[in-house]
Structures are given as C-alpha cells and as structure tokens.
Amino acid sequence: MALAPPPLAALLGAGGLIPFVAFSQPSRRLLPLDAALGPLRDALGRPSLNPTELQVTYGCSILSFLGAPHWGWALAPAGPASPRLTAFRLLWGVTPALLAWPCASTPAPLSLDALSAGLLVAYG
C-alpha cells in the first residue's frame, strides 16, 4: 500500500524544491543572487557566503528531515505489524541524517553529488 501525502503536504513538499532550483547553476546565470546575498553576508559576517554553500546547507537539512516520517510510521499506534519492520523504520529514520552530516563540511562538487545520491535513496 502506497502512502499518499495530504494535498497540503504535497504542495509544501513541492515548494521545498524552490531553493534547490533557485541555487542551481542554470538559475544562478539568470538570477542576481550575488547582489541578493550581499545583505545576508553582511548580517552574518560571512563575506564568502555563496549560493553553492546555501544549496548544500539546505540539502543537508532536507535530507536529515526525510528520515523523520519513518519514525512517525514506526511509532504510530497502528504502526508496522512486525518488530522487524519497526526496527528497520527506526534505523532508516536516522540514516539520512547520518548521510547528510559529512556533506555539510565536504567541498563542492563532491558534497552536491553525495547529497543528490542521498536524496535519491531517501526519497526513492
């Protein structure tokens, strides 16, 4: 049985793609991101802040979040029927965060490649 999200959750999930698209290389050629990031750089005291770093940080956050539904399904009152499935859901629930953690300090493009692979595995 496939789990389908409620319409609002699907809409918000699709909206979560906006930062990935906005900070992608093709969009960066079209959008004035450097000018837009100027005030953020000043406010954070990070003159080297760049769109790739923001994309990696956002990707790590999203990848970490993708494990949370598995905990919810495992711990729900009508959760998985077998203890083995419960254990799998709990273990898989922390795996995306463990995959994302080293990506936060890995230089691009390796961090982007690893995040892409992690997102494909976690979402697929």
Side-chain angles (χ1 to χ4, degrees):
M1 175 177 113
L3 298 171
L8 179 58
L11 181 66
L12 292 171
L17 295 174
I18 292 171
F20 284 119
V21 173
F23 292 126
S24 70
Q25 282 292 345
S27 294
R28 287 170 33 188
R29 291 186 185 104
L30 300 172
L31 300 173
L33 290 177
D34 277 333
L37 288 177
L40 183 60
R41 287 182 185 119
D42 295 340
L44 296 176
R46 302 257 331 265
S48 65
L49 187 65
N50 62 64
T52 301
E53 186 178 355
L54 291 174
Q55 190 175 41
V56 169
T57 304
Y58 183 72
C60 289
S61 300
I62 295 300
L63 182 54
S64 295
F65 174 77
L66 290 178
H70 295 278
W71 273 67
W73 292 322
L75 301 177
S82 74
R84 186 174 182 176
L85 184 54
T86 299
F88 171 79
R89 291 258 190 224
L90 291 172
L91 287 170
W92 180 246
V94 299
T95 302
L98 294 174
L99 293 173
W101 173 44
C103 291
S105 60
T106 303
L110 181 59
S111 58
L112 293 170
D113 294 341
L115 280 171
S116 296
L119 288 165
L120 284 173
V121 169
Y123 191 75

